[in-house]
Amino acid sequence: EDLVLPTPNEFIPTNFELRPREPEPSEFPVIVRNTRMSRIWFKQDNRFNLPKACVYLQLRTPAPYKSPLNANLCTLFVELVHDALAEYSYNAELAGLSYKVSLAFQGINIRVEGYNHKLCTLFERILQKVVNLEIQPQRFEIFLELLK
């Protein structure tokens, strides 16, 4: 009576197909797109032959270290984002995905890696939380206290 099945894990990959191999794989990542707003690097795995990817996004802003107040506010924001993402952590890890949201000198870094089939799903969930973060007052107070 009290047993219930967990909800389906949206991060479990089902497509393990490898992309066609480059005729002469590069030893180092190469820039495949370079604009004022973005720079995209690419390096195909030529060692392990696994359908895995790593996406690294840097949201550049001078805000974090313009003042001590800004640094603390940005740290608080990143901690609250990380806390809000806890609902995805377990399922993502079970499915072979991992992520990290961190504060850096030039802004906020987001890194997602694992099986490429569902990597974008996790990346979208992370970006949704960053953009539409709903701060719970009790969680805010806890993280604010930790900064003191």
Side-chain angles (χ1 to χ4, degrees):
E1 291 177 33
D2 294 289
L3 295 177
V4 293
L5 291 173
T7 57
N9 185 342
E10 67 179 325
F11 303 118
I12 293 178
T14 56
N15 181 352
F16 298 96
E17 188 175 313
L18 293 172
R19 303 273 187 230
R21 309 239 345 124
E22 291 181 313
E24 294 183 30
S26 157
E27 185 178 347
F28 301 103
V30 294
I31 296 174
V32 293
R33 181 180 173 150
N34 194 10
T35 69
R36 188 177 69 79
M37 297 294 290
S38 67
R39 182 177 301 144
I40 300 174
W41 298 76
F42 174 78
K43 180 180 182 327
Q44 189 167 33
D45 169 32
N46 56 357
R47 177 183 276 167
F48 300 108
N49 293 320
L50 294 172
K52 291 190 171 187
C54 176
V55 176
Y56 178 81
L57 174 70
Q58 185 175 63
L59 303 172
R60 288 185 168 207
T61 174
Y65 294 101
K66 276 201 164 199
S67 71
L69 175 62
N70 276 16
N72 283 313
L73 289 173
C74 289
T75 299
L76 184 58
F77 176 77
V78 168
E79 290 300 326
L80 288 165
V81 166
H82 190 264
D83 186 59
L85 290 170
E87 66 182 286
Y88 303 125
S89 296
Y90 181 69
N91 281 344
E93 187 177 327
L94 285 178
L97 295 171
S98 63
Y99 68 89
K100 183 174 183 178
V101 179
S102 60
L103 188 62
F105 184 73
Q106 294 181 327
I108 295 173
N109 294 332
I110 302 171
R111 181 182 177 104
V112 183
E113 55 188 69
Y115 290 101
N116 61 355
H117 181 226
K118 298 294 180 123
L119 188 132
C120 286
T121 303
L122 178 58
F123 199 69
E124 286 173 8
R125 299 292 176 273
I126 293 169
L127 291 178
Q128 287 168 358
K129 290 290 183 185
V130 168
V131 172
N132 303 311
L133 182 63
E134 292 182 22
I135 300 172
Q136 305 300 320
Q138 66 276 20
R139 301 302 292 166
F140 178 83
E141 290 300 324
I142 290 169
F143 285 102
L144 183 62
E145 191 62 34
L146 290 173
L147 279 178
K148 292 182 181 179

